[in-house]
Amino acid sequence: MLDIKPDHLPVISDASLTVHAGEKQDWIPKCSIGTPIINSTARWFENSEEVIAFKATFVDMNDMNLLNEVLEKHKVSIFYADSPSNPLLSCLDIRKVSELCHSHGALVCIDSTLASPINQKPCTDSRSRSCPSFCHQVVGGCVSGSENLISKICTSHYDLGSPLVPNAAYMIIRGMKTMYLRVETQNNTALKMAQLLEKHSLVAGDLHATMKFVDSLKLPYIATSFGGCESLVQQPAVMSFWDYSAAERAKIGIKDNLVRFSFGVEKFEDLAADILQALQNMILDLCSHTPKLTSCG
């Protein structure tokens, strides 16, 4: 059960501030519900129960019956989820979840970092975002919601002692000024790239063939963030989910050949040419080991 001890509450993430604020109100946290969320956040929910004495229940984001069952069984304080999820882009029915949670007295917090504030502004009690994802070179996060809720979160924020340093605040303000232009370009590039790759005779490579593809790319940096001027690429199976077993990764849909691109503001033609040459290198590498593949003809 979620009986938070303020003197033991570590500084972790924006969502922790949302939960901590509830400790000072009448709706004492008892149980929080999460659905597919970024790996580091999921790990915190799983490993922090003994530290701050709460219980987190994970549910399938598409199973409304299970969500309702958990809401009825526990006194839930807050529902927290990524939507779109990272890296699979699964989207939550936010309106349906909000109606169900509110009917049981639970708040809803949606982390829409991956969509950015340009593409999505969830109508929920609170919204959290990671600032480094769209304003690089800083470490920070933000949470938004009603004035009543945010004022309580601010009070807890002062208690936790984790304000932004002036330079980080400046970098975020500077990044926000060009965010719309960058996200608009990224959206256009991602759509055109998806349309291009739909027509490509792709090869379903294994873990090592996919690593060959990623290593063959010349323009994107290999990194786990997204939203900057430079394109980034990562292979979740060996990066953000490296500590999961193959069976655990398969259970949550993280395939060995999954690649996540976070396009920047480079010219589409340059990015497309780079991806196509990397695919060709991967195919040649596969053919050298498996000459009977159709693509090797």
Side-chain angles (χ1 to χ4, degrees):
M1 293 297 97
L2 194 67
D3 294 318
I4 292 181
K5 304 171 183 175
D7 55 330
H8 292 156
L9 185 66
V11 179
I12 326 103
S13 66
D14 337 29
S16 70
L17 301 180
T18 309
V19 175
H20 181 56
E23 195 271 337
K24 297 186 175 182
Q25 311 310 312
D26 294 334
W27 39 276
I28 304 298
K30 294 297 180 185
C31 180
S32 71
I33 293 178
T35 195
I37 48 182
I38 195 167
N39 191 28
S40 56
T41 308
R43 240 193 324 253
W44 178 78
F45 275 118
E46 290 172 343
N47 298 334
S48 298
E49 292 187 9
E50 293 184 3
V51 178
I52 55 177
F54 75 93
K55 181 175 178 59
T57 303
F58 291 83
V59 298
D60 186 327
M61 64 191 305
N62 295 312
D63 193 339
M64 293 296 108
N65 291 329
L66 178 59
L67 173 58
N68 186 62
E69 180 182 324
V70 175
L71 285 165
E72 291 182 346
K73 183 178 180 181
H74 302 285
K75 184 179 179 182
V76 176
S77 293
I78 185 168
F79 174 97
Y80 176 88
D82 282 359
S83 186
S85 68
N86 177 24
L88 299 179
L89 301 178
S90 300
C91 291
L92 187 69
D93 189 332
I94 296 174
R95 184 186 298 276
K96 184 178 294 186
V97 166
S98 295
E99 291 174 351
L100 188 55
C101 289
H102 288 161
S103 69
H104 289 81
L107 295 180
V108 175
C109 179
I110 298 297
D111 186 330
S112 57
T113 296
L114 197 133
S116 85
I118 306 302
N119 290 327
Q120 177 173 281
K121 299 179 179 66
C123 295
T124 55
D125 300 294
S126 62
R127 298 163 291 281
S128 60
R129 292 187 175 91
S130 169
C131 291
S133 298
F134 286 90
C135 303
H136 285 176
Q137 300 175 326
V138 296
V139 176
C142 62
V143 59
S144 58
S146 67
E147 182 177 355
N148 180 55
L149 178 60
I150 298 303
S151 64
K152 297 179 177 67
I153 293 175
C154 284
T155 300
S156 296
H157 187 241
Y158 298 144
D159 295 340
L160 290 170
S162 56
L164 287 172
V165 297
N167 185 63
Y170 162 73
M171 295 292 285
I172 291 173
I173 291 172
R174 188 182 71 168
M176 288 173 63
K177 293 178 180 178
T178 60
M179 184 184 296
Y180 175 80
L181 298 174
R182 287 183 282 117
V183 173
E184 184 178 42
T185 299
Q186 293 158 357
N187 287 344
N188 291 333
T189 297
L191 176 61
K192 288 196 287 187
M193 196 67 71
Q195 292 170 338
L196 171 67
L197 295 177
E198 277 182 336
K199 303 173 184 176
H200 192 280
S201 55
L202 298 176
V203 173
D206 58 13
L207 181 71
H208 298 289
T210 307
M211 291 173 66
K212 173 69 174 179
F213 165 73
V214 172
D215 289 340
S216 296
L217 293 164
K218 295 180 171 58
L219 288 179
Y221 289 92
I222 300 177
T224 57
S225 188
F226 43 82
C229 292
E230 303 87 2
S231 291
L232 305 176
V233 64
Q234 72 133 318
Q235 187 177 355
V238 296
M239 294 179 67
S240 52
F241 291 86
W242 65 272
D243 56 343
Y244 279 48
S245 68
E248 289 173 328
R249 292 197 304 269
K251 185 177 180 179
I252 57 177
I254 306 298
K255 297 181 179 180
D256 287 346
N257 62 357
L258 175 66
V259 175
R260 191 195 77 182
F261 275 99
S262 304
F263 292 115
V265 298
E266 303 95 339
K267 288 183 65 176
F268 166 75
E269 291 77 11
D270 293 338
L271 289 168
D274 189 29
I275 288 176
L276 292 176
Q277 68 81 23
L279 282 171
Q280 187 60 32
N281 278 342
M282 183 186 75
I283 292 172
L284 292 174
D285 185 66
L286 280 171
C287 290
S288 66
H289 297 93
T290 316
K292 293 184 179 181
L293 282 176
T294 304
S295 302
C296 301

